[in-house]
Amino acid sequence: MTVGKDVSALFPDVVNCMQTDNLELKKLVYLYLMNYAKSQPDMAIMAVNTFVKDCEDPNPLIRALAVRTMGCIRVDKITEYLCEPLRKCLKDEDPYVRKTAAVCVAKLHDINAQLVEDQGFLDTLKDLISDSNPMVVANAVAALSEIAESHPNSNLLDLNPQTINKLLTALNECTEWGQIFILDCLANYTPRDDRESQSICERVTPRLSHANSAVVLSAVKVLMKFMEMLPKDLDYYGTLLKKLAPPLVTLLSAEPELQYVALRNINLIVQRRPEILKHEMKVFFVKYNDPIYVKLEKLDIMIRLASQANIAQVLAELKEYATEVDVDFVRKAVRAIGRCAIKVEQSAERCVSTLLDLIQTKVNYVVQEAIVVIKDIFRKYPNKYESVIATLCENLDSLDEPEARAAMIWIVGEYAERIDNADELLESFLEGFHDESTQVQLQLLTAIVKLFLKKPTETQELVQQVLSLATQDSDNPDLRDRGYIYWRLLSTDPVAAKEVVLAEKPLISEETDLIEPTLLEELICHIGTLASVYHKPPSAFVEGSRGVQHKRLPGSAGSESVESPDTNSAAGVPEAPPAVIPSQGDLLGDLLNLDLTPPATTGPPPASSGMQMGAMDLLGGGLDSLLGGDLGGNPAMATGFGAPPATVPTSFTPPVSGGLDDLFDLGGGDGLPMGAYIPPKALWLPAMKAKGLEISGTFGRRAGVIQMEMTLTNKAMSVMTDFAIQFNRNSFGLAPAGPLQVLTPLSPNQSIEVALPLNTVGPVMKMEPLNNLQVAVKNNIDVFYFSCQYPISMLFMEDGKMERQVFLATWKDIPNDNESQFQIKDCHFNSDAASNKLQGSNIFTIAKRTVEGQDMLYQSMKLTNGIWVLAELRVQAVNPNYTVSLKCRAPEVSQCVFQSYEAVLKN
């Protein structure tokens, strides 16, 4: 049987041998049964009586063997006969039998889940968690975890502090695999507060010194998760960081395969908490006999840990690696030098001189990688290191790889005015244009157009030649399209061509290779599993019907209790996938392509309801959530966009004081709001720029609806009709909620007032400044473009009043680096009047306290995309200048919020 021969014909004879008292023979018979029962289900029933009898044998080894074999025989006909023996074994006096029976329940559940539930085995399994024997506890946890994985919503493992305490007690006495089961189970628990979190961490920490690397990684997973709950200023937090480093370092002294798994996990850990290993750089230095896969992984971690403190030794090490014999490793080492330059600004000069030294070696592949890297350095630090261009040009002839050729062409085109023979260099590339790869052809086309715009008189023939090659002689649609665009731009408007082609480029960042934050959180919860080696969530590679649960790290230091009212109302709405934020590209081009026909629907304008943010994390994730996501585009959320709410939101009613004499007793500080501030109208589009159409306007928020209020004036000699309006993509997804309602023709010298309701479900793109809005207005004469800035206060929502405890926890949780302080000058009213005035614009006072004659108001506001802004406003009776401190996960909004504070308080 074990050598692959079919011996199923002997089934009846083998079954007869089951009655033997010889334990070794019985094991062999049971092994045979497991193999052939499925192919001979009718014959297998003959063995049931012996199983039942063996389950009552005085020898615990035979009882356990019988119950284990029963669980492995996956034959439906036999399953129902197994229930009684299994029930007895689950309550057996011997722990070895009980632990075997616990695993058998999971196997039986896989065959017939309904039967297991009906027989009450799951409740018995839960009782085993309180068993006196640690191995029974571990197997019960393993079985329940296995069952819970295939039934994610069953809530089988109902973890509470009492259960956790039992698991932690069993942890010390288990075998190593039992410890792994218990630690994995602990990782699914969310502690109630930071004290409980610290207590669990203290009891798990000794597992870090275990000899089995799987136990160490499971312990690291638990600690990484529970550290999220600990305040960073806690002494124990620092102690825990120090304790995590040695076990991770020890893992790197194992054999290469284990090293690789450890390094993949460490890669995730240093992205989340680089401070754990910041002093351990040397252990990631490559050894000469490391396999290539270990070398490349170590290199990646070295770059992640590179900082100003250790950059000198990192660069010395990388320079050494660049002279190795392994080509792939050398290429990665050269790229690493470039990434260090981009990451640590102070080291950039040293990195560039190291790269120049490597170019002098004249080793072909080293030179090519160095040129690719230097291109990125030029993009990060423009006008700083261009003196090296001459050295790069000397190596032009040796470049044969497309990426290196494209990089060199980009450098020549970008700095053509500094290279005397730029036209000759580019012309040399042009000779074999059709033999080049697409990447090089596209780069060459752009570079020659740049050269022409900088030196038009000398390069006219060259640009005509490349445009002809790209458009008439090329089959590549990308190349042809780009050629035609440049041709038309140059022939119709050379000034516009210059603005487009020679536009200032955004600086590049070293963060491009980091794992996306939500994915990183999920992978941290899967440390020690295949997901942490692949750097992919389990759902990406686990097939089958099992429900794969998406795990997230808990909110830190109390923020897990923060629950948005919106989140409750949108329960069950799937979370919108994180959208990639488009960069602010050719915005004029975007507007030119807008469809300015009025929308077909003319129903009531949708209110900017809090419902649209239902699927977003209340406290946001920095600028990703400020500008990301399909805000409200999800059909499941469409119910949230009805008419404006008829009732005044609860935030508007004055709160009843709780009578507490602490910091958070408002003492009646909130009065009735004074009404939202609406800025005076400003001139947006002068008549001389719009063929007689003049537009002035402002923005306001009335009853929860954002409005764009405009005055349209006709200063032309002819009647204006057929008005329509369109917005470009903007930071908060502002878009018209309906057509521009100009119901009668606009006669000469006539003005008309129009209120356009807006919503925040339009396409999103970060603008500069953040509150900039680009608008296109069409009438029967032409299409006109203008831009204006909206006050961010109109995006403050009516449900922006945070609970006091949540406010306190959130304020502590947001890093101090995200705090901005501003002065508001010449304000002459007291703190209560200021609070009322601000509440009219949905800036809510959570608390007020007085310290040495200075009133301190603690305030919160919530933007339409779910970002919260917290504020501390200091008001002193004798001083007309207020101080406002703003804290937010997206600090980019602070400047705009301050402008709104200033506008509201001064008007």
Side-chain angles (χ1 to χ4, degrees):
M1 179 177 77
T2 54
V3 293
K5 290 184 179 173
D6 183 12
V7 287
S8 57
L10 302 173
F11 201 93
D13 304 307
V14 175
V15 169
N16 289 335
C17 296
M18 281 181 76
Q19 308 294 341
T20 181
D21 291 331
N22 184 327
L23 188 60
E24 297 304 317
L25 181 56
K26 196 178 274 286
K27 283 182 180 175
L28 288 171
V29 172
Y30 279 178
L31 184 64
Y32 178 90
L33 276 173
M34 281 190 266
N35 265 296
Y36 289 114
K38 201 155 193 178
S39 60
Q40 308 259 2
D42 297 328
M43 300 285 283
I45 293 178
M46 292 163 52
V48 168
N49 284 336
T50 314
F51 279 136
V52 173
K53 186 179 162 196
D54 281 356
C55 282
E56 294 176 0
D57 194 277
N59 185 342
L61 288 176
I62 290 180
R63 296 202 297 275
L65 184 62
V67 80
R68 178 186 291 129
T69 311
M70 285 193 295
C72 294
I73 295 176
R74 302 177 65 85
V75 175
D76 291 334
K77 290 181 181 177
I78 294 181
T79 309
E80 56 197 83
Y81 298 111
L82 307 185
C83 296
E84 227 30 65
L86 181 57
R87 185 175 282 107
K88 286 179 186 170
C89 289
L90 282 167
K91 296 188 175 163
D92 197 281
E93 59 188 22
D94 192 285
Y96 182 75
V97 180
R98 292 200 301 277
K99 84 177 183 73
T100 310
V103 176
C104 187
V105 174
K107 291 177 178 174
L108 191 58
H109 188 276
D110 201 33
I111 301 165
N112 190 338
Q114 195 58 49
L115 180 72
V116 171
E117 286 165 32
D118 294 345
Q119 293 287 336
F121 288 146
L122 294 179
D123 295 327
T124 316
L125 211 49
K126 288 179 190 174
D127 294 340
L128 287 181
I129 288 181
S130 308
D131 198 277
S132 57
N133 185 287
M135 265 321 298
V136 177
V137 176
N139 278 19
V141 166
L144 283 168
S145 302
E146 181 85 8
I147 295 167
E149 233 173 77
S150 55
H151 292 72
N153 303 320
S154 58
N155 197 22
L156 281 175
L157 270 166
D158 185 17
L159 297 173
N160 54 46
Q162 291 74 31
T163 314
I164 293 296
N165 196 34
K166 289 170 188 166
L167 296 182
L168 287 165
T169 307
L171 186 63
N172 298 324
E173 300 163 38
C174 278
T175 65
E176 49 197 24
W177 297 110
Q179 290 181 27
I180 292 165
F181 291 137
I182 291 176
L183 287 167
D184 287 350
C185 179
L186 286 173
N188 293 327
Y189 175 61
T190 304
R192 293 165 303 175
D193 52 30
D194 55 351
R195 185 177 292 176
E196 188 186 4
S197 188
Q198 182 176 338
S199 165
I200 294 171
C201 287
E202 284 169 352
R203 294 176 71 179
V204 168
T205 307
R207 300 302 106 212
L208 292 173
S209 53
H210 201 284
N212 186 321
S213 51
V215 176
V216 175
L217 283 176
S218 291
V220 168
K221 169 168 62 182
V222 174
L223 296 173
M224 284 291 290
K225 184 171 180 181
F226 289 178
M227 276 171 78
E228 297 289 330
M229 304 277 291
L230 299 176
K232 303 225 178 0
D233 53 359
L234 198 69
D235 290 342
Y236 180 70
Y237 180 84
T239 311
L240 195 53
L241 285 178
K242 287 177 189 161
K243 284 184 178 175
L244 275 167
L248 292 172
V249 169
T250 307
L251 289 175
L252 298 181
S253 55
E255 51 268 32
E257 293 79 11
L258 278 180
Q259 276 190 55
Y260 179 71
V261 172
L263 287 165
R264 291 294 280 174
N265 281 278
I266 289 169
N267 201 325
L268 297 174
I269 292 164
V270 296
Q271 286 186 55
R272 184 75 189 174
R273 296 201 183 282
E275 62 269 29
I276 292 174
L277 290 160
K278 66 180 178 185
H279 300 305
E280 305 292 343
M281 176 64 87
K282 283 191 175 176
V283 299
F284 299 106
F285 285 175
V286 171
K287 296 176 185 156
Y288 75 95
N289 59 347
D290 280 339
I292 182 68
Y293 54 87
V294 170
K295 285 181 175 178
L296 295 178
E297 204 58 39
K298 280 185 174 179
L299 208 51
D300 207 30
I301 295 168
M302 279 171 65
I303 299 159
R304 296 202 193 287
L305 291 175
S307 64
Q308 200 176 341
N310 58 26
I311 194 71
Q313 59 180 158
V314 171
L315 277 179
E317 196 72 13
L318 291 175
K319 191 174 180 182
E320 197 69 31
Y321 300 160
T323 58
E324 292 264 344
V325 290
D326 191 317
V327 177
D328 286 340
F329 181 53
V330 172
R331 286 176 183 280
K332 188 93 184 242
V334 176
R335 295 230 168 181
I337 295 170
R339 278 173 64 187
C340 286
I342 291 166
K343 184 176 182 183
V344 186
E345 188 168 347
Q346 294 79 356
S347 74
E349 199 157 333
R350 193 181 292 171
C351 291
V352 171
S353 75
T354 305
L355 288 167
L356 287 176
D357 291 346
L358 291 172
I359 288 173
Q360 297 306 333
T361 62
K362 300 293 181 187
V363 178
N364 188 272
Y365 54 87
V366 175
V367 172
Q368 306 207 65
E369 283 298 328
I371 285 173
V372 172
V373 160
I374 287 172
K375 179 202 77 172
D376 288 339
I377 293 173
F378 284 169
R379 287 196 60 191
K380 175 71 176 178
Y381 308 110
N383 304 319
K384 208 166 179 187
Y385 300 109
E386 281 73 15
S387 54
V388 305
I389 291 174
T391 313
L392 302 183
C393 291
E394 290 167 14
N395 295 280
L396 213 58
D397 298 336
S398 63
L399 306 181
D400 52 18
E401 290 170 14
E403 198 178 357
R405 289 173 76 81
M408 192 66 225
I409 291 166
W410 181 88
I411 292 168
V412 173
E414 189 68 15
Y415 301 104
E417 69 278 13
R418 305 180 187 210
I419 304 171
D420 296 335
N421 61 338
D423 50 344
E424 291 171 24
L425 296 176
L426 292 177
E427 199 167 358
S428 66
F429 283 105
L430 204 57
E431 288 164 9
F433 185 78
H434 290 302
D435 301 326
E436 299 284 5
S437 69
T438 306
Q439 181 184 7
V440 177
Q441 289 177 333
L442 287 166
Q443 202 57 264
L444 189 55
L445 172 62
T446 303
I448 291 176
V449 171
K450 283 180 186 173
L451 176 66
F452 172 70
L453 291 168
K454 290 172 181 177
K455 302 178 178 178
T457 49
E458 306 155 35
T459 54
Q460 203 160 347
E461 276 183 38
L462 189 63
V463 79
Q464 283 177 336
Q465 190 182 349
V466 77
L467 288 172
S468 171
L469 285 168
T471 54
Q472 291 164 18
D473 304 342
S474 173
D475 297 331
N476 186 309
D478 289 341
L479 183 64
R480 212 167 45 231
D481 287 354
R482 190 182 290 192
Y484 279 128
I485 288 169
Y486 285 153
W487 202 319
R488 283 173 190 160
L489 266 173
L490 292 170
S491 57
T492 54
D493 191 347
V495 177
K498 207 163 191 171
E499 285 176 9
V500 171
V501 181
L502 302 180
E504 200 171 315
K505 288 156 196 68
L507 299 183
I508 60 170
S509 155
E510 89 284 1
E511 304 302 331
T512 47
D513 62 326
L514 290 183
I515 293 174
E516 194 266 327
T518 49
L519 174 58
L520 181 61
E521 280 193 16
E522 188 174 352
L523 293 177
I524 292 285
C525 295
H526 289 292
I527 281 176
T529 68
L530 268 180
S532 66
V533 179
Y534 290 154
H535 287 190
K536 290 178 181 177
S539 53
F541 59 87
V542 176
E543 291 184 357
S545 58
R546 297 208 159 190
V548 177
Q549 287 174 286
H550 292 280
K551 299 182 181 181
R552 297 291 296 275
L553 292 175
S556 53
S559 65
E560 80 283 351
S561 61
V562 178
E563 199 170 78
S564 162
D566 309 330
T567 312
N568 295 337
S569 59
V573 176
E575 190 167 317
V580 177
I581 309 164
S583 59
Q584 186 177 350
D586 181 7
L587 299 176
L588 180 67
D590 285 339
L591 274 173
L592 290 170
N593 291 326
L594 294 174
D595 177 12
L596 286 161
T597 51
T601 54
T602 54
S608 182
S609 159
M611 186 72 165
Q612 60 187 288
M613 295 315 304
M616 290 190 72
D617 178 8
L618 175 78
L619 293 171
L623 199 61
D624 289 345
S625 54
L626 166 65
L627 298 173
D630 177 14
L631 304 188
N634 191 323
M637 299 181 195
T639 51
F641 300 115
T647 55
V648 179
T650 50
S651 318
F652 273 6
T653 57
V656 180
S657 173
L660 298 169
D661 291 322
D662 64 350
L663 159 65
F664 287 100
D665 180 15
L666 285 180
D670 274 355
L672 287 169
M674 301 169 74
Y677 163 68
I678 295 177
K681 284 185 178 173
L683 181 63
W684 286 342
L685 184 66
M688 61 185 291
K689 286 191 176 178
K691 300 182 180 175
L693 173 64
E694 182 179 279
I695 302 178
S696 55
T698 185
F699 294 89
R701 187 180 183 95
R702 301 179 193 275
V705 181
I706 305 168
Q707 291 191 327
M708 185 181 193
E709 299 171 2
M710 294 177 284
T711 304
L712 308 182
T713 306
N714 182 356
K715 295 193 172 179
M717 303 302 291
S718 56
V719 174
M720 293 182 182
T721 58
D722 303 332
F723 283 91
I725 193 165
Q726 191 85 27
F727 293 173
N728 198 2
R729 293 175 292 175
N730 54 80
S731 304
F732 293 91
L734 281 174
L740 185 60
Q741 299 281 5
V742 182
L743 301 175
T744 56
L746 191 59
S747 306
N749 297 318
Q750 183 189 353
S751 292
I752 189 166
E753 301 288 331
V754 182
L756 177 70
L758 309 180
N759 59 33
T760 52
V761 298
V764 172
M765 177 172 70
K766 184 184 175 188
M767 301 295 285
E768 193 59 52
L770 210 58
N771 58 339
N772 193 30
L773 181 67
Q774 297 184 326
V775 184
V777 173
K778 165 187 168 290
N779 62 14
N780 60 325
I781 297 171
D782 205 346
V783 180
F784 309 107
Y785 305 99
F786 65 89
S787 65
C788 53
Q789 291 181 14
Y790 48 88
I792 210 166
S793 57
M794 74 169 187
L795 303 175
F796 296 161
M797 296 182 65
E798 286 69 20
D799 61 351
K801 185 162 187 176
M802 205 178 247
E803 290 296 321
R804 302 171 189 187
Q805 293 306 319
V806 174
F807 179 94
L808 200 55
T810 309
W811 183 278
K812 286 180 185 173
D813 186 44
I814 296 174
N816 290 334
D817 294 346
N818 286 22
E819 185 172 350
S820 308
Q821 203 169 71
F822 304 95
Q823 285 272 326
I824 304 173
K825 297 185 176 177
D826 301 323
C827 290
H828 298 281
F829 33 70
N830 63 23
S831 57
D832 288 344
S835 175
N836 290 347
K837 205 168 171 63
L838 291 165
Q839 187 171 326
S841 293
N842 294 339
I843 300 172
F844 298 101
T845 301
I846 312 294
K848 170 185 168 184
R849 67 170 176 168
T850 305
V851 181
E852 297 174 357
Q854 182 173 246
D855 287 344
M856 298 167 87
L857 302 180
Y858 296 91
Q859 299 174 317
S860 72
M861 58 226 84
K862 179 184 174 187
L863 293 164
T864 49
N865 61 359
I867 287 290
W868 287 85
V869 184
L870 311 186
E872 178 190 73
L873 182 65
R874 299 183 184 190
V875 180
Q876 214 166 359
V878 294
N879 186 352
N881 298 341
Y882 294 177
T883 303
V884 63
S885 300
L886 298 172
K887 258 194 170 188
C888 178
R889 296 216 184 257
E892 292 80 357
V893 304
S894 296
Q895 181 65 37
C896 296
V897 173
F898 158 65
Q899 289 165 1
S900 289
Y901 259 85
E902 199 169 40
V904 172
L905 289 171
K906 286 193 169 186
N907 293 282

